[in-house]
Amino acid sequence: MTDLVEEALKLGFYAADTMDSSLLMPRKEVREMCAADRCHAYGKNWTCPPACGTLEESVTRLQKYNRVLLVQSRGELEDEFDFEGMMDLEKQHKERFHAMAEIVRRVHPDALCLGSGGCRICAKCAYPEPCRFPEKACSSMEAFGLLVSEVCTACGMTYYYGKNTLAYEACFVYQENLETQRHLMQPEE
């Protein structure tokens, strides 16, 4: 294995690229969208606000890292009402995301893995009881206040592909240094 972008593409992501983490700009407006509770997860999931922490805490966590791997799944829909196609693409994206999280965490054990939408490891979150899988649970990019279209632009990645297409994004935020570059992606023994 040579690098994270190559591994992401091997897993089937449509696009993958890296960027400097200083380009991530958490926004209060995005967290306010979470508080509107349109997805019905606000205050009901450990990986969503407010349980995932304040926006200020998200900023502090993001500042510990210097690199971002942005990945994207893209699919064609029959029409704008192709709910089955949307759900199928979301399922494929989440499977790729969790597989990529395992790869990233082998190289960067403390990486912050931010998916699309709330954590769906469990059919129903244990909240407010303790999380069943804290080592696997992942917040969304939006839960950290990130405007996904803005992150795509900062990374030079297309966000909107036109009518009857859909894209899902996720990112992995990690600390890259000379030591990890030297030992990047060494096979497990």
Side-chain angles (χ1 to χ4, degrees), residues 35 67-68 85-86 94 105 132:
R67 297 299 297 160
V68 177
M86 292 175 201
K94 289 202 178 283
R105 286 177 173 150
R132 295 177 198 100

Side-chain angles (χ1 to χ4, degrees), residues 54-55 77 91 97 101 104 109 117 129 138-139 145 155-156 171 178 182:
T54 66
L55 183 62
L77 304 174
K91 181 180 182 235
F97 170 73
V104 170
E129 298 300 319
C138 298
S139 289
C155 195
C171 69
L178 291 176
R182 214 170 322 179

Side-chain angles (χ1 to χ4, degrees), residues 46-47 98 105 113 119 121 131 133-139:
W46 282 112
T47 63
H98 289 294
R105 286 177 173 150
C113 303
C119 179
I121 292 172
C131 177
F133 303 102
E135 71 286 350
K136 291 183 179 181
C138 298
S139 289

